[in-house]
Amino acid sequence: MIIVFKPEATEKQIQHVLEKVKTSGFPVDINRGAERTIIGIKGKIDQVARLRIQPFEAFPGVEKVVSISAPFKLVSRQYKPQDTVIDIEGIKIGGKKVVVMAGPCSVESREIMLEVAKKVKLAGARILRGGAFKPRTSPYSFQGLGEEGLQYLHEAKEKTGLPIVTELMDPRQIALVEKYADILQIGARNMQNFDLLKEVGRSKKPVLLKRGMGSTVEELLMSAEYIVSEGNPHVILCERGIRTFESATRFTLDINAIPVIKQLSHLPVVADPSHATGQRSLVASVAKAALAAGADGLIIEVHTNPEIAKSDGPQSLLPSMFSDLMEELKKVGHAIGREI
Amino acid sequence: MIIVFKPEATEKQIQHVLEKVKTSGFPVDINRGAERTIIGIKGKIDQVARLRIQPFEAFPGVEKVVSISAPFKLVSRQYKPQDTVIDIEGIKIGGKKVVVMAGPCSVESREIMLEVAKKVKLAGARILRGGAFKPRTSPYSFQGLGEEGLQYLHEAKEKTGLPIVTELMDPRQIALVEKYADILQIGARNMQNFDLLKEVGRSKKPVLLKRGMGSTVEELLMSAEYIVSEGNPHVILCERGIRTFESATRFTLDINAIPVIKQLSHLPVVADPSHATGQRSLVASVAKAALAAGADGLIIEVHTNPEIAKSDGPQSLLPSMFSDLMEELKKVGHAIGREI
Amino acid sequence: MIIVFKPEATEKQIQHVLEKVKTSGFPVDINRGAERTIIGIKGKIDQVARLRIQPFEAFPGVEKVVSISAPFKLVSRQYKPQDTVIDIEGIKIGGKKVVVMAGPCSVESREIMLEVAKKVKLAGARILRGGAFKPRTSPYSFQGLGEEGLQYLHEAKEKTGLPIVTELMDPRQIALVEKYADILQIGARNMQNFDLLKEVGRSKKPVLLKRGMGSTVEELLMSAEYIVSEGNPHVILCERGIRTFESATRFTLDINAIPVIKQLSHLPVVADPSHATGQRSLVASVAKAALAAGADGLIIEVHTNPEIAKSDGPQSLLPSMFSDLMEELKKVGHAIGREI
Amino acid sequence: MIIVFKPEATEKQIQHVLEKVKTSGFPVDINRGAERTIIGIKGKIDQVARLRIQPFEAFPGVEKVVSISAPFKLVSRQYKPQDTVIDIEGIKIGGKKVVVMAGPCSVESREIMLEVAKKVKLAGARILRGGAFKPRTSPYSFQGLGEEGLQYLHEAKEKTGLPIVTELMDPRQIALVEKYADILQIGARNMQNFDLLKEVGRSKKPVLLKRGMGSTVEELLMSAEYIVSEGNPHVILCERGIRTFESATRFTLDINAIPVIKQLSHLPVVADPSHATGQRSLVASVAKAALAAGADGLIIEVHTNPEIAKSDGPQSLLPSMFSDLMEELKKVGHAIGREI
């Protein structure tokens, strides 16, 4: 950590900060420049992290505080250099093989759920997605089938063998959702719902953590740190598009974030081209791009009849389009030394 | 609602959409242009809102669906033209008098809480703020004192008479927080935590709903609609800065949003210049601006010793600065025909 | 074009708008709904475009004006469905073969220029890039060698056979730059320098038009329309990253924009992973992603000694890294049915 | 300037950087921490600025380079602590008195120009605005009357005594525009048209420099530095709204930027509520806000008949609305200790 003083900082102000820093016990280094004084504080990441609780920016005479180390620890690649591989009933996420998760946006009926599950399994998906609890912008939109939806997902799993990923919105639902789900999904709108993060951090189930649409990569990693620091190391990160000024698409998939996260963290990363684009005709191109950029998996919305989809119909692929996309993904995966 | 077809849409595709629309029972109007066909659907807002559940964008041949009416109803000015005024123990938010809420970011100790409360009361604040449950980006940061913090807030209220606004992060905390708080705050990071919104929607306490940093004004109003549609009409909206590319300040206060919200909704709007800027030296200018733009209130962080603040020290005003600001605000308020 | 009236619009206001619309001679369709009146105006794209000059939003009683057709014409795929292929001395941009353009950010010396040119040619680049006129944020940064730089580029072309793409910033430089360049580059900061666009629109040389970092895809296409409408149909569009709140990278490459542009326009699209990321270690992943998303080309910064680069050293690849990347790109290209 | 090395940086890499730094002649300070080595470089702002030309981020072993001083010099408040006041025929911008500039978006006809000029003069405007050269997104939109427009502006000045501010888009127009204009406007889209900045930097006329919609405050100040470093110290900065994800308004006025700029720079700042909102009904609120935040002036679009305005009709005030707004602004100005 580096504390930079204003050119006009007084000696008294500098000494005042120094005293506070010294009580922490870390080695301190003063650098008196022609114009400014700078203090460097040495120490291991997690120790200095504690020191950050001191709001040095609030001290008189201080211009800025520069963090040198990342603010996260357990999820950082510096802490654990080798890739984390998460095993879900034998399916490994984060290894050489890229995992495609597919299914309808929300679970709407037993029939559709079973049919979509069969179709995506046939095309090569290895995890089944579907929402039973739906975070909807409008209170008047379909809010999900709740436990009934979870039961349909469970039946689809029994019929196809595909493990289930499904969203959890309320900490009070955890016991229920854990009963059915193989992966607990935290949606973009709850990425900083810290009580919910702590709750899934105490679960034994892997967690798929989606990036908030107004959140930075660093904040995504801090939210993952919440989960891991509670005891659950099985976190899969998901890039699903951020808010920008561009209005041609619903969100802007941050493709840069995929290699950035792989550099900063050992956790697996998947991409969601369906939400990131909001348009069916763009999903295939963006899915291939995310794979080529290094994603460990993809999560794609598929519906047998998007016209009656209760949410996100416009971005859902038909099973035949999904099947074609899987063929293309296999080729791209092969080209970059991975399998699907 | 208007459905616009692609130039190449077939008659069969158009008829298919028409049938679906007609089953809804709304009057329909077809407009066959030189290049495109357009369907207009007539009906009252809330009726057509139900129709929106149909994903017409997902139908073959459809280019886009244009909503004419706003997607919110109960919070709209069209539904209720006169301003909503919320009464908190005699203090009216949304009327001629502008209400300043002030206090520390988080409740840290009994002594500081009582001292800050006394000071802000003296300077003219009419509501006391302070967080007992703190949403922090890092799991290693101070997470709030919990119930102990609520008790200090309560004691401060008893000593000063100032009603309390404090944040609620988890639906399981509601009974506890309701016991102490006069206004329930939903923080920016929980603006789309829909289960929490529903929970406070069933409370009798007024709610201060902060805009998410990646959320649009329309989404803010939809979240307010969640609360109001559950039965709680006492919602105060809060503009607290959005995420933009500008890095000179922590967030960008969306000053346009203040008159925009006043046009679209009858609910009162307050602004938070402390979080929106992140820097003490900018708070006064932005507070005056928000007042001049039409805000019904301001929520400002004040701390007797920002150096030991456990959160947001750099943006907290000292009591003397707050007191000076109140004098300036009184003048600006008077200039625009309001009181403070 | 659709004009939507406010619910409270008077008959007089509606008639007033109708009269104005009718003087345009286009067929008009009135739709009187339960709450609002809507006017639809029929006509061919370019005719109605003229009508748009009327600011109907400014008329009393009007709520909004919805454009149905795109505001660009000559560059739209609707106007010309087949892909535009641009031929630069036998190298085709926009066809099956993907074109890689490479070279240093700025031309710094004869030696480096010639060496980089040789190396990128060897690795498979087919166009040579290098800036002689540099748009720099700071007046104190290196501003480019000017004509001397163009001469070095020319010599590099003579030695390697690689055609040249180089930036033009000032309409007064056009005669000079045209003498040396095979492709005229318009930089992101000049995307809406309309006099410059008109100037290159009157040139016979192809133009590489970079998207502004704060500009939408629609605005990029409108800027291309400026060039094409002046008589120069040879425009190559370039996605080079946009401004977002994410600060982990210099810009955010808008990967969605690649398939979006291919749908809206017949013009070829290239991507610039060097500027879009700002970090050497991210360039390869993002380059492969852009290719997989459908880009017709890539423009990549390569420098033999990034440590002495006078601009953008941190994002320049070493020739050996570029050579490795080319091998990877060939495989990805093959996987998606293209060649490099 | 501080250079931070990676934890894994080798001694050889550190020495390599040190040598380069030492050749610059600046005093250097090495700080070897438990995990990382940090180098501090001391020196006066402008000297170290020269060193920045070295791309230390590109050196092996370097993690990041932190700039301590601002990258601009002549425009910084550190360089010149007292406010710059610009005198335009006796009208002072940057002093106690706030200056309102008003007029139509573009000069459309002699009659309208003269009428609007008379009206805004009567209401208290002290500078007349109007565009003769118009930067329009579409090549099919009205591009301005050119010299004819400048003549009408000139006539309006003769009749009212109001000095003229008008936009310049092309360096080749400077001699012509200088003949008529009292203030040369550089529009948002040309904020980083560096050749144009240099050109107006060699003029004797004051320059109104608008912030680009995708540009940071720091970049705005760097563009001002271009002008001042060429010899023209008379620069007025203008906040006119930035691009964000919010779509309820055309742009988002960055109200924070007003006090931020006043802290960083001695140059006067004006705000443009017309472009920043894009809607007539929002202009008054945002104008008052900008004034309360500390703006030294406002630039507001006024049109006698917005229905026939060839650009920006929807955001133009009618003369009577402008007149009412001036009355309100006088009161707010008085409340904050300024005059209008």
Side-chain angles (χ1 to χ4, degrees):
Chain A
M1 197 167 70
I2 295 172
I3 299 172
V4 180
F5 288 91
K6 291 178 184 164
E8 67 270 21
T10 65
E11 187 55 34
K12 208 177 139 192
Q13 290 170 336
I14 295 168
Q15 288 304 328
H16 179 56
V17 170
L18 267 175
E19 274 160 39
K20 289 278 166 180
V21 172
K22 281 177 178 163
T23 61
S24 71
F26 296 117
V28 174
D29 210 86
I30 312 184
N31 179 326
R32 292 182 187 274
E35 284 199 331
R36 294 159 187 278
T37 292
I38 292 168
I39 292 177
I41 301 162
K42 305 168 186 184
K44 292 274 172 198
I45 301 175
D46 45 336
Q47 296 168 334
V48 179
R50 268 184 285 128
L51 194 63
R52 268 206 211 110
I53 294 162
Q54 286 273 7
F56 287 113
E57 287 97 338
F59 280 56
V62 172
E63 173 128 340
K64 60 175 167 181
V65 177
V66 181
S67 288
I68 299 306
S69 311
F72 41 84
K73 184 193 168 193
L74 304 173
V75 304
S76 74
R77 197 169 276 283
Q78 204 175 335
Y79 178 78
K80 174 172 178 289
Q82 69 279 22
D83 285 348
T84 285
V85 179
I86 295 170
D87 189 315
I88 294 135
E89 307 196 347
I91 294 163
K92 291 186 171 63
I93 303 184
K96 194 191 173 187
K97 225 168 156 173
V98 173
V99 175
V100 178
M101 313 178 181
C105 179
S106 42
V107 184
E108 289 158 12
S109 76
R110 186 175 164 276
E111 290 63 38
I112 295 174
M113 196 61 237
L114 296 181
E115 201 191 340
V116 174
K118 229 186 309 172
K119 294 272 175 69
V120 300
K121 156 101 181 183
L122 205 69
R126 295 200 291 143
I127 307 266
L128 184 64
R129 63 149 292 152
F133 295 100
K134 297 299 304 171
R136 304 302 300 275
T137 304
S138 167
Y140 309 125
S141 297
F142 175 63
Q143 307 274 315
L145 291 180
E147 183 163 12
E148 188 187 344
L150 293 173
Q151 287 164 344
Y152 298 153
L153 278 169
H154 186 68
E155 191 179 342
K157 180 186 174 182
E158 284 191 325
K159 296 235 157 90
T160 59
L162 295 178
I164 300 296
V165 56
T166 196
E167 181 163 357
L168 174 71
M169 290 166 60
D170 185 328
R172 296 169 298 188
Q173 299 158 346
I174 191 154
L176 176 66
V177 177
E178 267 185 328
K179 234 172 51 184
Y180 296 96
D182 300 290
I183 306 177
L184 304 172
Q185 179 179 317
I186 301 294
R189 287 167 183 78
N190 280 313
M191 192 200 89
Q192 294 195 318
N193 179 340
F194 299 114
D195 288 288
L196 188 60
L197 296 179
K198 288 177 188 170
E199 202 68 41
V200 298
R202 291 187 284 264
S203 173
K204 296 216 176 320
K205 299 271 172 146
V207 178
L208 178 78
L209 177 65
K210 290 192 144 190
R211 178 179 180 185
M213 47 209 172
S215 298
T216 61
V217 164
E218 187 173 298
E219 288 168 339
L220 172 63
L221 292 171
M222 293 305 288
S223 286
E225 185 89 9
Y226 259 96
I227 300 171
V228 178
S229 68
E230 286 288 330
N232 186 348
H234 308 302
V235 179
I236 303 155
L237 304 169
C238 179
E239 164 59 37
R240 48 78 73 210
I242 57 171
R243 276 268 156 85
T244 71
F245 62 82
E246 177 56 68
S247 56
T249 47
R250 208 167 150 200
F251 296 99
T252 300
L253 187 109
D254 181 0
I255 194 84
N256 295 358
I258 295 172
V260 165
I261 293 172
K262 297 303 283 182
Q263 285 181 8
L264 295 175
S265 177
H266 52 82
L267 295 174
V269 184
V270 306
D272 176 345
S274 305
H275 283 91
T277 59
Q279 292 170 48
R280 186 185 303 150
S281 63
L282 303 172
V283 169
S285 297
V286 174
K288 286 181 278 181
L291 174 58
D296 297 304
L298 294 165
I299 181 161
I300 296 173
E301 290 187 359
V302 178
H303 199 290
T304 46
N305 188 355
E307 288 187 14
I308 61 164
K310 287 187 171 133
S311 59
D312 290 344
Q315 73 198 30
S316 295
L317 296 187
L318 289 163
S320 62
M321 298 169 77
F322 176 66
S323 184
D324 293 347
L325 172 57
M326 285 301 289
E327 291 313 304
E328 297 184 67
L329 289 172
K330 276 171 200 166
K331 287 183 206 158
V332 175
H334 187 73
I336 57 164
R338 300 187 79 160
E339 286 165 36
I340 291 193
Chain B
M1 198 167 67
I2 296 172
I3 299 174
V4 181
F5 288 90
K6 292 179 184 165
E8 67 270 21
T10 64
E11 187 56 33
K12 208 176 141 193
Q13 290 171 337
I14 294 168
Q15 288 304 327
H16 179 56
V17 170
L18 267 176
E19 275 160 37
K20 289 280 165 177
V21 172
K22 281 177 178 163
T23 62
S24 71
F26 297 117
V28 175
D29 210 86
I30 312 183
N31 179 327
R32 294 183 186 273
E35 283 198 331
R36 295 158 187 280
T37 292
I38 292 169
I39 292 178
I41 301 162
K42 304 169 188 186
K44 291 275 173 198
I45 300 176
D46 45 334
Q47 296 168 335
V48 179
R50 271 184 283 131
L51 193 64
R52 270 206 207 109
I53 294 163
Q54 287 273 8
F56 287 112
E57 288 95 338
F59 280 57
V62 172
E63 172 129 339
K64 60 176 167 180
V65 177
V66 182
S67 287
I68 298 307
S69 312
F72 39 85
K73 182 190 169 198
L74 304 173
V75 304
S76 73
R77 199 170 275 283
Q78 204 176 335
Y79 179 77
K80 173 173 178 291
Q82 68 279 23
D83 285 346
T84 286
V85 178
I86 295 170
D87 189 315
I88 295 135
E89 308 196 348
I91 295 163
K92 291 187 171 63
I93 302 184
K96 194 191 172 187
K97 226 169 155 172
V98 174
V99 174
V100 177
M101 313 179 181
C105 180
S106 42
V107 184
E108 290 158 11
S109 77
R110 185 175 166 275
E111 291 63 37
I112 294 173
M113 196 61 236
L114 296 182
E115 201 191 339
V116 174
K118 228 185 312 169
K119 294 272 174 70
V120 301
K121 157 98 181 187
L122 206 68
R126 296 201 289 144
I127 307 266
L128 185 64
R129 63 149 291 152
F133 296 100
K134 297 298 306 170
R136 302 303 300 274
T137 304
S138 167
Y140 309 125
S141 297
F142 175 65
Q143 306 273 315
L145 292 179
E147 183 162 14
E148 188 188 343
L150 295 173
Q151 287 164 344
Y152 298 153
L153 278 169
H154 186 69
E155 192 179 341
K157 179 185 175 182
E158 285 191 324
K159 295 236 157 90
T160 59
L162 295 177
I164 301 298
V165 58
T166 196
E167 181 163 357
L168 175 70
M169 291 165 61
D170 185 327
R172 297 169 299 189
Q173 299 157 347
I174 192 156
L176 177 66
V177 177
E178 268 186 327
K179 231 168 57 182
Y180 296 96
D182 300 291
I183 306 176
L184 305 171
Q185 180 179 318
I186 301 293
R189 288 166 183 80
N190 281 312
M191 192 201 89
Q192 294 194 317
N193 180 339
F194 300 114
D195 288 289
L196 189 59
L197 296 179
K198 288 176 188 169
E199 201 68 42
V200 299
R202 291 187 285 264
S203 173
K204 296 216 174 322
K205 299 270 171 144
V207 178
L208 178 77
L209 176 65
K210 288 192 146 191
R211 179 179 179 184
M213 46 209 173
S215 299
T216 61
V217 163
E218 187 174 297
E219 287 168 339
L220 172 63
L221 292 171
M222 293 304 287
S223 286
E225 185 90 8
Y226 260 96
I227 300 171
V228 177
S229 67
E230 287 289 330
N232 186 347
H234 309 303
V235 180
I236 304 155
L237 304 170
C238 180
E239 164 59 37
R240 49 77 70 209
I242 56 171
R243 276 269 156 84
T244 70
F245 62 82
E246 177 56 67
S247 57
T249 47
R250 210 168 149 199
F251 295 98
T252 300
L253 187 109
D254 181 0
I255 194 83
N256 295 358
I258 295 172
V260 166
I261 294 172
K262 297 303 283 182
Q263 284 181 6
L264 295 175
S265 177
H266 53 80
L267 295 174
V269 184
V270 306
D272 176 346
S274 305
H275 283 92
T277 60
Q279 292 170 48
R280 187 185 304 148
S281 63
L282 303 172
V283 169
S285 297
V286 175
K288 285 181 280 181
L291 175 58
D296 297 303
L298 294 165
I299 180 160
I300 297 173
E301 289 186 1
V302 178
H303 199 290
T304 46
N305 187 356
E307 289 186 14
I308 60 165
K310 287 185 171 134
S311 60
D312 290 344
Q315 73 198 29
S316 295
L317 295 188
L318 287 163
S320 63
M321 297 168 79
F322 176 67
S323 185
D324 291 349
L325 172 57
M326 285 301 289
E327 291 313 305
E328 297 184 67
L329 290 171
K330 278 171 200 165
K331 286 183 206 157
V332 175
H334 187 74
I336 58 165
R338 299 186 80 160
E339 285 165 38
I340 292 193
Chain C
M1 198 168 67
I2 296 171
I3 299 173
V4 180
F5 288 90
K6 293 179 183 163
E8 68 269 22
T10 64
E11 187 56 33
K12 207 178 140 193
Q13 289 170 337
I14 295 168
Q15 288 304 328
H16 178 56
V17 170
L18 267 175
E19 275 161 38
K20 289 278 166 181
V21 172
K22 281 176 179 165
T23 61
S24 70
F26 297 117
V28 175
D29 210 87
I30 311 183
N31 178 326
R32 293 182 186 274
E35 283 199 330
R36 292 159 187 280
T37 293
I38 292 168
I39 292 177
I41 301 162
K42 305 169 189 184
K44 292 276 172 196
I45 301 175
D46 45 335
Q47 297 167 333
V48 179
R50 269 185 285 132
L51 194 63
R52 266 203 212 113
I53 294 162
Q54 287 273 7
F56 287 112
E57 288 97 337
F59 279 57
V62 171
E63 173 129 338
K64 59 175 167 181
V65 178
V66 182
S67 287
I68 298 307
S69 312
F72 39 86
K73 183 191 168 196
L74 304 174
V75 304
S76 73
R77 199 171 274 284
Q78 204 175 334
Y79 179 77
K80 173 172 178 291
Q82 68 279 24
D83 285 346
T84 286
V85 179
I86 294 169
D87 189 316
I88 295 136
E89 307 195 349
I91 296 163
K92 291 186 171 62
I93 303 184
K96 195 191 173 188
K97 225 168 157 173
V98 173
V99 174
V100 178
M101 314 178 183
C105 180
S106 41
V107 184
E108 291 158 11
S109 75
R110 187 176 164 272
E111 291 64 36
I112 295 173
M113 197 60 237
L114 296 182
E115 202 190 340
V116 173
K118 230 185 310 172
K119 294 272 175 69
V120 301
K121 157 97 181 187
L122 205 69
R126 296 200 290 144
I127 307 266
L128 185 64
R129 62 149 293 153
F133 296 99
K134 298 297 305 170
R136 304 302 300 275
T137 304
S138 167
Y140 308 125
S141 297
F142 174 63
Q143 307 276 315
L145 292 180
E147 182 161 12
E148 188 187 342
L150 294 173
Q151 288 164 344
Y152 298 153
L153 279 168
H154 186 68
E155 191 179 342
K157 180 185 174 184
E158 286 191 324
K159 296 235 157 91
T160 59
L162 295 177
I164 301 297
V165 57
T166 197
E167 182 163 355
L168 174 70
M169 290 165 62
D170 184 328
R172 295 168 300 188
Q173 299 157 345
I174 191 154
L176 177 65
V177 177
E178 267 185 329
K179 230 169 57 182
Y180 297 97
D182 299 291
I183 307 177
L184 305 172
Q185 179 179 318
I186 300 294
R189 288 167 183 79
N190 281 312
M191 192 200 89
Q192 294 194 318
N193 180 340
F194 300 113
D195 289 288
L196 188 59
L197 296 178
K198 288 177 189 169
E199 201 67 42
V200 300
R202 291 187 285 262
S203 173
K204 297 217 175 320
K205 299 268 171 148
V207 177
L208 178 77
L209 176 65
K210 290 192 142 190
R211 178 178 180 187
M213 46 211 175
S215 298
T216 61
V217 163
E218 186 174 298
E219 287 168 340
L220 172 63
L221 292 171
M222 293 304 288
S223 286
E225 185 90 8
Y226 260 96
I227 300 171
V228 177
S229 67
E230 286 289 330
N232 185 349
H234 308 303
V235 179
I236 304 156
L237 304 169
C238 179
E239 165 58 37
R240 50 78 70 210
I242 57 171
R243 276 270 155 84
T244 70
F245 62 81
E246 176 57 67
S247 56
T249 47
R250 208 166 150 202
F251 295 99
T252 300
L253 187 110
D254 181 0
I255 195 82
N256 295 358
I258 295 173
V260 166
I261 294 172
K262 297 302 284 182
Q263 285 181 7
L264 295 176
S265 177
H266 53 81
L267 295 174
V269 184
V270 306
D272 175 346
S274 305
H275 283 91
T277 60
Q279 293 170 48
R280 186 186 305 149
S281 63
L282 303 172
V283 169
S285 298
V286 175
K288 285 181 279 181
L291 174 58
D296 297 304
L298 294 165
I299 179 161
I300 297 174
E301 289 187 1
V302 178
H303 199 289
T304 46
N305 188 355
E307 289 186 13
I308 59 164
K310 289 191 169 126
S311 60
D312 290 345
Q315 74 199 29
S316 295
L317 296 188
L318 288 164
S320 62
M321 298 168 78
F322 176 66
S323 184
D324 291 349
L325 172 57
M326 285 301 290
E327 291 312 305
E328 298 184 67
L329 289 172
K330 277 171 201 167
K331 288 183 203 157
V332 175
H334 187 73
I336 58 165
R338 298 187 81 160
E339 285 165 37
I340 290 191
Chain D
M1 196 168 69
I2 295 173
I3 299 173
V4 180
F5 288 91
K6 292 179 183 164
E8 67 271 20
T10 65
E11 186 56 32
K12 207 177 139 192
Q13 289 171 336
I14 295 169
Q15 287 304 328
H16 179 55
V17 170
L18 266 176
E19 274 159 40
K20 290 278 166 183
V21 172
K22 280 176 177 163
T23 61
S24 71
F26 297 117
V28 175
D29 210 89
I30 313 184
N31 179 327
R32 292 182 186 275
E35 284 198 331
R36 293 160 188 277
T37 292
I38 292 168
I39 291 177
I41 300 163
K42 305 168 188 182
K44 293 276 172 195
I45 302 176
D46 45 334
Q47 296 168 335
V48 179
R50 270 184 283 131
L51 194 63
R52 266 203 212 113
I53 294 162
Q54 286 273 7
F56 287 112
E57 288 95 339
F59 280 56
V62 172
E63 172 129 340
K64 61 175 165 181
V65 177
V66 182
S67 288
I68 299 306
S69 312
F72 40 85
K73 185 193 166 195
L74 304 174
V75 305
S76 73
R77 199 171 274 284
Q78 205 175 333
Y79 178 78
K80 173 171 179 290
Q82 68 278 22
D83 285 348
T84 286
V85 178
I86 294 170
D87 189 315
I88 294 135
E89 307 195 348
I91 295 163
K92 291 186 171 63
I93 303 184
K96 194 191 173 187
K97 225 167 157 175
V98 173
V99 174
V100 177
M101 311 176 183
C105 179
S106 42
V107 184
E108 291 158 10
S109 75
R110 186 174 165 275
E111 292 61 38
I112 295 174
M113 196 60 237
L114 295 182
E115 200 190 341
V116 174
K118 228 186 311 171
K119 293 272 174 69
V120 300
K121 156 99 181 188
L122 205 68
R126 295 200 289 143
I127 308 266
L128 184 64
R129 64 148 293 153
F133 296 99
K134 298 299 302 170
R136 304 302 301 274
T137 303
S138 166
Y140 309 125
S141 297
F142 174 62
Q143 306 275 315
L145 292 180
E147 184 163 10
E148 187 187 343
L150 294 172
Q151 287 163 344
Y152 298 153
L153 279 168
H154 186 69
E155 191 178 344
K157 180 186 174 182
E158 284 192 325
K159 296 235 157 91
T160 60
L162 296 177
I164 300 296
V165 57
T166 197
E167 182 164 356
L168 175 69
M169 291 166 62
D170 184 328
R172 296 170 297 190
Q173 297 157 347
I174 191 156
L176 176 66
V177 178
E178 267 185 329
K179 230 168 58 184
Y180 297 97
D182 300 290
I183 307 177
L184 304 172
Q185 180 179 319
I186 301 294
R189 290 167 182 78
N190 280 313
M191 192 201 88
Q192 293 194 318
N193 180 340
F194 300 114
D195 288 290
L196 188 59
L197 296 180
K198 288 177 190 170
E199 201 68 41
V200 298
R202 290 186 285 265
S203 173
K204 295 215 176 322
K205 299 270 172 146
V207 177
L208 178 78
L209 177 64
K210 290 192 144 189
R211 178 179 180 186
M213 46 209 174
S215 299
T216 61
V217 164
E218 187 174 297
E219 288 168 338
L220 171 63
L221 292 171
M222 293 305 287
S223 286
E225 186 88 8
Y226 259 97
I227 299 171
V228 178
S229 68
E230 287 288 331
N232 185 349
H234 308 303
V235 180
I236 304 155
L237 303 169
C238 179
E239 164 59 37
R240 48 77 73 211
I242 56 171
R243 276 269 155 85
T244 70
F245 62 81
E246 177 57 67
S247 56
T249 47
R250 207 167 150 200
F251 296 98
T252 300
L253 187 109
D254 181 0
I255 194 84
N256 295 358
I258 295 172
V260 166
I261 294 172
K262 297 301 284 182
Q263 284 181 9
L264 295 175
S265 178
H266 51 82
L267 296 174
V269 185
V270 306
D272 176 347
S274 305
H275 284 91
T277 59
Q279 292 170 46
R280 187 185 303 150
S281 63
L282 304 171
V283 169
S285 297
V286 174
K288 286 181 278 180
L291 174 58
D296 297 304
L298 294 165
I299 181 161
I300 296 173
E301 289 186 0
V302 178
H303 199 289
T304 45
N305 189 355
E307 289 186 14
I308 60 164
K310 288 187 171 132
S311 59
D312 290 344
Q315 73 199 29
S316 295
L317 297 186
L318 288 164
S320 62
M321 298 168 79
F322 176 67
S323 184
D324 292 349
L325 171 57
M326 286 300 289
E327 290 313 304
E328 296 184 67
L329 289 172
K330 277 171 199 166
K331 288 183 203 157
V332 175
H334 188 73
I336 58 165
R338 298 187 81 161
E339 285 165 38
I340 291 192

